[in-house]
Amino acid sequence: MSQPDVSIEAGVDEYLVSLRVERGLAANTIAAYERDLDQYMAFLDGRRPSEAVIGEFIGEMRVWDLADSTIARKLASIRGLHRFLVQEGMWASDPTALVDSPRRPDPFPKALTVDEAIALVEAPAGGDPASLRDRALLEFLYGTGARVSETVGVDMGHLDLEDRVVRVTGKGSKQRQVPMGRKTVEAIVDWLPGRLSLIRRIVAGDPLFISLRGRRLSRQAVFDIVKKHAVTVGLDPDRVSPHVLRHSAATHMVEAGADLRTVQEMLGHATISTTQVYTRVSPAHIMEIYVEAHPRSR
């Protein structure tokens, strides 16, 4: 691709003006475009846009635990920018032309079975700090259904191990109290001595989950830990992630009879409609309930 005639910064400014003047978009819509492009520019950090760099940005958004629909919207903003630059003769070619859009997500969660989930959380079996941390982390993810961003944000002061509850901060900085099961609390208690041995300096917030270097665990590290232990127990790492553990926790609760309002509160969903996706249970479970409940099933 030849050198563009204008900088990407100037191109963004021109594009936003065109959205307002030529396309007549509403102020809120233009503000959404601007937010998306600001994130894109921050990621570029002076680098030249290319197909590979935009692919890296898509990967980074997945690390942020964004929904595929959100990633697709942000990518649409980026595509619009680069198409505009080419159409206006400011750039010679469009680096998004060959970038695939995220596949439309399955509207229904792809949960692990109960046996798979238990095998995964019990995979770290050693007594070293890394194994104890990983066991506590996996138990926490599955036991609370917390998002990965909520999990890495938990500080020691957010825990009440006696009453078995934890305060997490979700989307929009909204806080909620989430119950922890006995297995989760036991795993955390087992991890705490190892955690203390790894702390070499004061870490802001006193995080529950830290790296072997004593720093707050990153979201990417959580993804890596989950996938590593998925391989250990023979699960396909491509179908296992922190978000799948969250889906699994909710699905297993609903299948066991939990009411949707309780699951909604636990997961921090803004509306009950988001939680209702978990009412789509497996065919095997439907047959099990049918056999138990219908007088003519046997």
Side-chain angles (χ1 to χ4, degrees):
M1 184 172 72
S2 61
Q3 183 68 24
D5 295 329
V6 300
S7 68
I8 186 71
E9 294 83 1
V12 168
D13 291 340
E14 292 283 345
Y15 180 52
L16 294 174
V17 169
S18 77
L19 294 179
R20 183 178 67 255
V21 176
E22 297 177 16
R23 294 180 55 184
L25 298 185
N28 287 344
T29 303
I30 294 173
Y33 273 94
E34 187 169 10
R35 285 192 297 271
D36 291 343
L37 295 174
D38 282 346
Q39 287 184 333
Y40 176 51
M41 297 293 293
F43 178 80
L44 289 177
D45 193 25
R47 289 187 295 174
R48 182 186 183 83
S50 66
E51 180 184 345
V53 170
I54 293 169
E56 289 177 18
F57 184 54
I58 293 173
E60 181 71 9
M61 288 191 285
R62 293 196 185 283
V63 172
W64 298 343
D65 202 21
L66 297 182
D68 280 348
S69 58
T70 302
I71 294 173
R73 191 205 72 226
K74 292 180 181 296
L75 183 56
S77 298
I78 296 168
R79 286 190 196 280
L81 165 67
H82 285 291
R83 286 172 181 167
F84 170 81
L85 294 177
V86 172
Q87 290 168 358
E88 295 297 315
M90 300 179 189
W91 281 50
S93 61
D94 178 0
T96 69
L98 299 178
V99 175
D100 292 331
S101 296
R103 290 180 300 172
R104 184 173 180 176
D106 185 340
F108 302 108
K110 296 178 180 177
L112 301 175
T113 66
V114 172
D115 287 344
E116 288 172 336
I118 292 174
L120 176 58
V121 300
E122 292 182 350
D128 57 290
S131 297
L132 293 171
R133 179 205 58 199
D134 292 0
R135 176 66 180 270
L137 175 66
L138 293 171
E139 288 280 7
F140 187 90
L141 288 167
Y142 178 56
T144 66
R147 301 177 177 94
V148 63
S149 56
E150 295 169 346
T151 299
V152 298
V154 171
D155 294 334
M156 291 300 298
H158 299 159
L159 293 168
D160 186 336
L161 296 179
E162 184 175 348
D163 289 339
R164 300 196 319 194
V165 294
V166 58
R167 185 173 77 251
V168 300
T169 303
K171 293 183 177 179
S173 298
K174 293 181 179 179
Q175 294 187 334
R176 66 185 188 280
Q177 297 280 350
V178 179
M180 295 184 292
R182 179 175 55 84
K183 293 287 189 181
T184 301
V185 171
E186 288 176 355
I188 290 173
V189 170
D190 289 343
W191 150 240
L192 293 181
R195 173 186 174 276
L196 286 175
S197 71
L198 295 175
I199 295 178
R200 298 179 176 85
R201 59 184 176 81
I202 296 175
V203 182
D206 199 18
L208 170 61
F209 295 112
I210 60 175
S211 69
L212 298 183
R213 295 183 178 183
R215 300 169 182 168
R216 184 181 296 273
L217 205 62
S218 69
R219 288 173 295 187
Q220 183 61 56
V222 176
F223 274 82
D224 293 343
I225 289 168
V226 170
K227 290 182 180 297
K228 178 182 76 172
H229 292 293
V231 172
T232 300
V233 296
L235 294 174
D236 180 356
D238 289 337
R239 71 175 275 248
V240 183
S241 69
H243 206 58
V244 167
L245 278 175
R246 172 175 164 85
H247 281 324
S248 301
T251 300
H252 298 163
M253 287 181 64
V254 170
E255 289 187 347
D259 66 275
L260 288 182
R261 290 291 180 187
T262 299
V263 178
Q264 176 192 5
E265 180 67 23
M266 179 173 169
L267 296 185
H269 288 158
T271 64
I272 194 68
S273 61
T274 306
T275 316
Q276 283 174 335
V277 70
Y278 297 104
T279 59
R280 179 185 170 98
V281 296
S282 67
H285 183 71
I286 292 173
M287 178 58 73
E288 179 184 338
I289 296 300
Y290 173 74
V291 169
E292 290 179 357
H294 199 286
R296 302 289 286 177
S297 64
R298 293 178 176 84

